[in-house]
Amino acid sequence: MRAPASCLLVVLLALCAACARGDPISTVEGMMTRLLGSAWVGKFNVSLINADKSTGHDVFEIQTYPNNHVELRGNNGVALASALNWYLKYSCNSQVSWGVNNTGVQISLPSPLPNTYPQGMSMASPVKYRYYMNVCTVSYSAAWWDWERWEWEIDWMALNGVNLPLAFTGQEYVWRSLWRQLGLTADETQDYFSGAAFLAWTRMGNLRNWAGPLTDNWIDMQMKLQLQILERVRAFGMTSVLPGFSGRVPQAISRIYPQANVSQLAMWCDFQGNYSRDFFIQPNDPTFLKIGSLFIQELIKVYGTDHVYNADTFNEMRPPTNSTTYLHDSSAFVYHAMAQADPKAIWLMQGWLFVNERDFWNDVTIPAYLSGVPNDSLVILDLFSDARPIYPDTKSYYGKPFVWNMLLNFGGNRGLYGNMSRISTGPLEALAMPGSTMIGTGMTPEAIENNPVMFDLMSEMGWRKTPFDLNTWVGQYATRRYGVNSAVAVQAWTLLHNSVYVKDTIIQGLFTYRPSLTMNVDTSYSNATGLVDAWRLLLSLDAEFKTKPPGTYLYDLVDVSRQVLTNLFYDTYLMFANEYKRFQTNGTNTKAEVSRLGDQLLGMIEDLDTLLSSDPNFLLGRWIASARSWATNSEEGANYEFNARNQITLWGPTGEINDYAAKHWGGLVRGYYLPRWTLFVSRVNISVQTGKPFDDGQYNSDILAWEQAWGRRTDPFPTNPQGDTVAIAKTLLSKYATQHTQYKVATNQDAPQNDLLTPATQTWTKDVAQLTLLCDADPACEGFNSNGYLKRGIGHMITVAGCDFYSKVTETD
């Protein structure tokens, strides 16, 4: 239980945050103590040096000595921490990544410490800024973080070179104070806020009044937490990005300012009017300047400032007009509201609006909008540079500085993916582009704690100036990830690099969606077969650990196993839906096929839950327990649990953004996804048995009622892992990637036509053992070829170079 902050503590901490930045040396040594233990801190000498002479950018140096001594030098705390991380990674084969109870930290320092840089080494950042976080990250990942979790994250930021972090926690304290100063009552501002898990979208003007109330207890405790966050990031020498004013106001503001031009926005994502259609003061209204300036003044009074503010005026909302004058004035008023209160203000703008509304934002509207702010007072986050960059089409944002970002993740969806090649080259190419205004690199995921290899790589791009060999980097990553010099580990990660880490996105696991017979299909998944081979290698690596495997290995084993089963679930679903289609369109009796494939789907979901429940990083119970830990009474506890459950499931009262933030978590898979699929499979079975069409509308209505009831439940879920991850993974490998039945093989042969999946469709997997499993699951399947085409009948054979055909062995063979 957390008690509300006292008024005296508020004042003292605010003065501390506003006036002091802390000592970078002691801050870094404190981080080293937490990370390495006090006995090792004395082996490292930490000292300050000047920033890079030619650019003013951050710089660090490392020098080692044969007497178990290492010198770390940097121009601030972030540079010093980056030096330590570089030494740990490239001299000690160690890694610091996310993980519950430090399961993502793999550090085993040798004694004496390696003397790898006797002549010294130095690195100067090629960019001014290294940004971190998305406005959604604070809700999808950090909604329930306490100071202990934030302290760990700030250490991770420093180690990975972040010097420009988003700092959005606790802003509701300032909003509440401002509205009350202006004369609004508590009742008049209650619907201005949403529940604790949905504040990101409240702040952007998408939502209001959903999943509340937001209590004064919460607001006060978050303010106290923000003071701790800001004190630490500033002590490291980071520049915090605080919120600005984008025009969002309570509906009752018209009582205070009756002449203000207040309009109500369009509905967002099908949320009904009482939950969306927020109220905004038009940016070119004089009241906008007044309120915006007052907000910044109040913000600085409470939290101090580093003079950088984020505000997004048209987030997933189309401007009311394409008038260039209106667009110019819109940005000008946002900036001037900041600058009136803080003459040193810099506006940091997310460039998501240019991605989301590409048909509106063009070579006329974009420069008109950007022209309202001086070039040296605006920085644009090119939010999705890794897949959908805007800077190449806008001549580097028409002269405005921008940051090259890796977005990667949406909603915290779990999947192994990411374009490593683009990440390792894109920032360098953008920096070298003629007329480039790039001044930073960044990581802008909607959610974190996934694909650690991508964040490890992207964080280094804030320090690297020249191209490097990615294959070598991947091999080094494998070694430091597990702390063993293993050819098997390198081979496994080489396969992962070439199979899954070549693609920008991946469809979310089908088992996390509300099921139907017409779910979206995607046959362009990257090399699923290579992933299966990597899985086999990872499992064999277990024998190389002399003691208990590190948490990093167990995490990866769960993650890779999970992705293999997720992919195979996709193939099995295609077969299941195809057999129902045969029944529906041709009247074919497919009772046996539908029944057997349906059982396999449900069995895979159960197995996934068993796997996920074996690792602390994949547990629903921890998410809910973290939410409830903020409660000061039972009513708050129930509300926070509802917030936690709703965000990852229905995402709204009736599934307005259903399953967008779905998670692959033990407890959630068995307790939420499995019942949905069980009812679905049952009704499809009834349909083919009775000859009556599957009633999709009735199913959706019934399951929605169940989903809504689940969101209001308070039954507990485990917060500690259960089972042996390695043993579970070995069982799953035997079940889902080992051939158990005999097939005859015809080399360089194929059986044309007679495809089981119609129209002719390849399975994701081309692994022979998995194809036998799929074929065995469908009584109608007689064989398959090595290209992933299952066959209903064999007929005549033809010669096809490089294609092998596998046919079931019958009693007559």
Side-chain angles (χ1 to χ4, degrees):
M1 301 286 284
R2 296 177 175 83
S6 71
C7 294
L8 178 59
L9 182 61
V10 169
V11 173
L12 291 175
L13 286 176
L15 288 172
C16 176
C19 302
R21 293 191 67 85
D23 171 36
I25 299 295
S26 61
T27 302
V28 170
E29 289 177 342
M31 179 267 292
M32 292 170 65
T33 301
R34 291 187 292 275
L35 183 65
L36 307 176
S38 57
W40 285 100
V41 175
K43 308 294 183 182
F44 294 87
N45 184 59
V46 181
S47 61
L48 290 172
I49 57 175
N50 293 327
D52 185 71
K53 292 181 180 179
S54 61
T55 64
H57 297 167
D58 289 345
V59 61
F60 70 75
E61 298 175 353
I62 306 172
Q63 188 158 10
T64 57
Y65 299 89
N67 59 347
N68 204 27
H69 180 70
V70 178
E71 293 270 357
L72 304 176
R73 310 181 192 101
N75 64 299
N76 55 34
V78 170
L80 289 168
S82 298
L84 173 65
N85 196 32
W86 200 272
Y87 181 76
L88 291 176
K89 289 166 68 170
Y90 289 102
S91 297
C92 303
N93 289 328
S94 297
Q95 186 181 59
V96 180
S97 62
W98 296 299
V100 172
N101 298 327
N102 281 333
T103 51
V105 176
Q106 191 290 113
I107 296 178
S108 182
L109 296 181
S111 184
L113 290 170
N115 184 21
T116 46
Y117 301 112
Q119 304 303 317
M121 66 85 70
S122 67
M123 297 195 77
S125 177
V127 291
K128 180 178 181 179
Y129 294 125
R130 296 174 300 279
Y131 176 78
Y132 181 51
M133 281 206 181
N134 183 302
V135 294
C136 295
T137 319
V138 294
S139 288
Y140 281 135
S141 294
W144 314 115
W145 285 0
D146 58 11
W147 169 240
E148 181 181 5
R149 180 61 184 85
W150 265 110
E151 182 176 49
W152 192 97
E153 192 71 16
I154 295 168
D155 286 348
W156 181 91
M157 292 183 207
L159 289 163
N160 287 281
V162 172
N163 66 355
L164 188 66
L166 190 68
F168 263 27
T169 301
Q171 62 179 277
E172 283 66 34
Y173 183 88
V174 182
W175 292 117
R176 183 186 64 182
S177 177
L178 175 64
W179 301 135
R180 291 182 181 177
Q181 286 180 35
L182 291 177
L184 294 175
T185 67
D187 289 340
E188 287 176 322
T189 59
Q190 184 57 56
D191 69 352
Y192 178 80
F193 300 111
S194 288
F198 299 94
L199 290 176
W201 302 276
T202 301
R203 295 162 180 168
M204 289 185 281
N206 304 128
L207 278 184
R208 61 189 178 98
N209 201 35
W210 167 242
L214 194 70
T215 67
D216 285 340
N217 285 335
W218 171 272
I219 292 173
D220 292 339
M221 289 188 292
Q222 289 288 298
M223 178 275 303
K224 178 183 176 182
L225 178 61
Q226 173 74 332
L227 290 169
Q228 292 176 288
I229 293 168
L230 290 173
E231 184 180 17
R232 183 61 55 81
V233 300
R234 288 168 176 163
F236 270 114
M238 301 179 192
T239 297
S240 61
V241 179
L242 296 174
F245 179 64
S246 60
R248 180 174 177 265
V249 293
Q251 181 177 4
I253 198 69
S254 295
R255 180 176 64 79
I256 307 298
Y257 298 107
Q259 304 305 318
N261 184 3
V262 178
S263 59
Q264 192 170 13
L265 298 177
M267 187 182 298
W268 180 74
C269 289
D270 296 324
F271 276 86
Q272 295 304 306
N274 55 323
Y275 294 132
S276 67
R277 302 208 63 212
D278 219 334
F279 295 88
F280 269 72
I281 292 182
Q282 286 298 319
N284 56 1
D285 187 292
T287 312
F288 185 103
L289 281 176
K290 181 174 183 178
I291 293 178
S293 180
L294 287 172
F295 172 74
I296 298 297
Q297 291 175 35
E298 187 67 19
L299 183 77
I300 294 172
K301 186 188 306 180
V302 178
Y303 296 130
T305 185
D306 295 323
H307 311 293
V308 182
Y309 308 93
N310 169 259
D312 298 304
T313 51
F314 301 114
N315 181 71
E316 299 188 359
M317 296 176 286
R318 185 180 289 254
T321 174
N322 62 1
S323 163
T324 55
T325 300
Y326 173 83
L327 294 172
H328 170 277
D329 291 348
S330 295
S331 62
F333 273 60
V334 172
Y335 167 68
H336 288 305
M338 299 174 184
Q340 280 187 4
D342 180 1
K344 297 181 181 179
I346 294 175
W347 177 10
L348 183 76
M349 174 202 299
Q350 285 200 150
W352 181 249
L353 72 167
F354 305 130
V355 177
N356 190 64
E357 296 277 358
R358 289 299 296 267
D359 60 331
F360 178 89
W361 295 105
N362 52 47
D363 57 4
V364 174
T365 53
I366 294 177
Y369 182 64
L370 299 181
S371 67
V373 188
N375 284 5
D376 61 355
S377 299
L378 178 66
V379 176
I380 301 166
L381 297 175
D382 192 73
L383 209 68
F384 203 4
S385 309
D386 51 325
R388 295 170 64 185
I390 300 298
Y391 67 87
D393 300 328
T394 56
K395 302 175 184 177
S396 282
Y397 286 100
Y398 305 102
K400 296 293 191 291
F402 75 91
V403 175
W404 198 104
N405 290 286
M406 179 186 76
L407 198 159
L408 188 70
N409 185 274
F410 291 90
N413 298 156
R414 178 67 62 168
L416 292 178
Y417 64 91
N419 192 324
M420 294 181 72
S421 177
R422 184 171 298 163
I423 296 302
S424 68
T425 58
L428 298 175
E429 293 170 353
L431 198 59
M433 185 175 63
S436 175
T437 57
M438 175 181 158
I439 62 168
T441 59
M443 298 173 283
T444 54
E446 285 195 350
I448 57 172
E449 300 173 321
N450 60 80
N451 290 296
V453 65
M454 296 301 299
F455 292 89
D456 194 311
L457 177 60
M458 185 63 221
S459 67
E460 287 194 11
M461 298 312 297
W463 291 103
R464 291 187 177 272
K465 296 180 180 179
T466 57
F468 57 98
D469 185 81
L470 185 56
N471 292 323
T472 300
W473 188 93
V474 169
Q476 293 171 328
Y477 177 87
T479 300
R480 65 176 179 263
R481 179 73 175 160
Y482 307 133
V484 293
N485 191 4
S486 167
V488 173
V490 172
Q491 187 180 357
W493 268 98
T494 299
L495 281 169
L496 290 172
H497 171 207
N498 294 323
S499 59
V500 297
Y501 287 114
V502 294
K503 188 160 182 166
D504 300 315
T505 58
I506 182 177
I507 66 167
Q508 160 181 331
L510 283 187
F511 69 90
T512 67
Y513 286 114
R514 182 190 292 172
S516 77
L517 288 163
T518 56
M519 300 178 80
N520 290 332
V521 296
D522 178 3
T523 59
S524 62
Y525 181 70
S526 52
N527 189 353
T529 307
L531 177 67
V532 178
D533 290 336
W535 186 31
R536 295 185 177 107
L537 286 169
L538 272 182
L539 262 174
S540 70
L541 183 62
D542 174 59
E544 298 193 26
F545 296 111
K546 296 179 180 179
T547 57
K548 181 181 178 181
T552 48
Y553 170 76
L554 297 175
Y555 176 98
D556 287 350
L557 187 57
V558 170
D559 213 14
V560 172
S561 305
R562 175 206 55 73
Q563 190 66 56
V564 170
L565 265 66
T566 299
N567 293 351
L568 194 62
F569 186 93
Y570 175 91
D571 286 335
T572 307
Y573 166 79
L574 286 183
M575 297 170 66
F576 177 82
N578 185 77
E579 293 299 352
Y580 179 82
K581 180 181 177 182
R582 281 211 303 147
F583 152 75
Q584 186 182 39
T585 57
N586 303 325
T588 307
N589 184 343
T590 59
K591 295 178 184 178
E593 291 86 344
V594 168
S595 176
R596 188 179 297 183
L597 289 166
D599 287 345
Q600 181 152 308
L601 288 172
L602 300 182
M604 292 175 76
I605 296 175
E606 291 179 339
D607 287 340
L608 272 165
D609 189 85
T610 299
L611 170 73
L612 296 166
S613 297
S614 70
D615 189 280
N617 297 288
F618 299 84
L619 296 179
L620 169 64
R622 296 190 64 86
W623 172 253
I624 292 178
S626 295
R628 279 190 164 272
S629 71
W630 284 94
T632 60
N633 55 56
S634 59
E635 185 177 355
E636 286 183 352
N639 177 257
Y640 294 155
E641 178 162 355
F642 170 74
N643 270 257
R645 286 176 178 245
N646 184 266
Q647 187 207 87
I648 61 176
T649 54
L650 283 173
W651 215 122
T654 58
E656 282 73 3
I657 318 180
N658 197 22
D659 297 321
Y660 177 82
K663 302 294 187 292
H664 294 194
W665 284 343
L668 185 64
V669 172
R670 188 181 298 271
Y672 188 77
Y673 302 134
L674 180 59
R676 296 200 305 186
W677 279 87
T678 299
L679 181 61
F680 169 71
V681 168
S682 172
R683 292 197 178 177
V684 173
N685 270 311
I686 292 172
S687 174
V688 296
Q689 290 166 6
T690 62
K692 297 179 180 180
F694 174 75
D695 191 336
D696 191 64
Q698 186 62 53
Y699 170 78
N700 283 329
S701 176
D702 293 344
I703 207 64
L704 173 60
W706 180 87
E707 291 164 340
Q708 290 172 320
W710 186 90
R712 293 289 181 185
R713 283 160 45 180
T714 58
D715 46 317
F717 290 91
T719 56
N720 294 310
Q722 300 171 328
D724 183 319
T725 297
V726 175
I728 292 168
K730 287 180 178 178
T731 299
L732 297 180
L733 179 70
S734 175
K735 187 173 182 179
Y736 293 111
T738 304
Q739 186 172 341
H740 294 288
T741 55
Q742 289 188 330
Y743 279 71
K744 292 187 299 182
V745 184
T747 305
N748 294 322
Q749 296 286 305
D750 192 15
Q753 302 177 341
N754 298 316
D755 291 290
L756 185 71
L757 297 176
T758 55
T761 303
Q762 291 174 290
T763 56
W764 272 5
T765 185
K766 311 299 184 296
D767 183 85
V768 171
Q770 290 197 320
L771 287 169
T772 62
L773 173 70
L774 293 172
C775 195
D776 289 345
D778 191 333
C781 182
E782 295 186 15
F784 57 87
N785 65 28
S786 54
N787 294 322
Y789 288 95
L790 301 171
K791 299 293 182 175
R792 187 174 308 283
I794 296 178
H796 70 285
M797 302 289 289
I798 61 173
T799 300
V800 179
C803 178
D804 297 335
F805 192 84
Y806 297 77
S807 55
K808 284 182 177 178
V809 174
T810 64
E811 293 180 357
T812 59
D813 290 324

